[in-house]
Amino acid sequence: MKYTTEVDVENYLLTTIDPTFTSAEGDTQIDKWIEAMSRFMDRKCNRTLCDTEESARKFDGNGRNSMVIDEVNAISAITIDEVDVLASVLQYPTSEPRTNELRMQNQYFTKGLQNVEVTGIFAMFGVADVDDVPEDIRHACTVLVGGIVNHAMNKTNDVKSEKVGQYSVTYTDPNQSRDFTMAMQTLNAYRRIAV
């Protein structure tokens, strides 16, 4: 999913991006940059920040009454050995919209390889579309894409240039440079510590 829009980037830069600026595949280059920065943000944070679509993932049953799973929102189905157990599974933490632990009170997750299937939105935030992306995440993506656009337009009065993934970003005034720093701080705040 994309975490910002072309209109957001244009509004941020106070410029209009040439609509004929397309890739060889016919997609607009700005769309490719938005997609690239959205994925960069996911990798930087060690998690998928936002998603709109449900998917199913399989986990190994551990023979216990609790198990840790990938971060998921809006679980719609849980099966063990293809038997529906959603109604008997508690989701933790209870104070968050997302779950990363499942518990059963009087049953257990049958030991086996890929025998527990969970269907839901595997992301920190389950959203309907880009308009539902949390504002700080959306702004961070807008700033990163704006830096790529500045660099592509060969702005010569750059205040700060950085590498973001495989892209160079350029900021043309101190405010944009501060926005870049704030965008990276936002990503650090969402970063999951991988074990």
Side-chain angles (χ1 to χ4, degrees), residues 65-72 75 78 88-105 109:
N65 69 342
S66 69
M67 66 183 294
V68 175
I69 62 170
D70 298 336
E71 195 169 54
V72 62
I75 294 176
I78 301 173
S88 59
V89 175
L90 300 172
Q91 302 173 28
Y92 290 88
T94 58
S95 60
E96 297 287 331
R98 60 193 170 277
T99 295
N100 68 349
E101 183 181 355
L102 304 176
R103 292 185 193 168
M104 300 177 81
Q105 189 167 5
F109 294 95

Side-chain angles (χ1 to χ4, degrees), residues 160-175:
K160 182 176 188 177
S161 288
E162 298 279 342
K163 278 294 259 186
V164 176
Q166 65 183 16
Y167 293 95
S168 294
V169 294
T170 301
Y171 296 98
T172 59
D173 65 51
N175 290 331

Side-chain angles (χ1 to χ4, degrees), residues 97-129:
R98 60 193 170 277
T99 295
N100 68 349
E101 183 181 355
L102 304 176
R103 292 185 193 168
M104 300 177 81
Q105 189 167 5
N106 297 318
Q107 299 174 27
Y108 58 93
F109 294 95
T110 309
K111 194 168 191 164
L113 298 176
Q114 298 184 8
N115 64 326
V116 178
E117 184 173 271
V118 178
T119 302
I121 300 174
F122 285 90
M124 186 172 189
F125 300 101
V127 298
D129 58 30

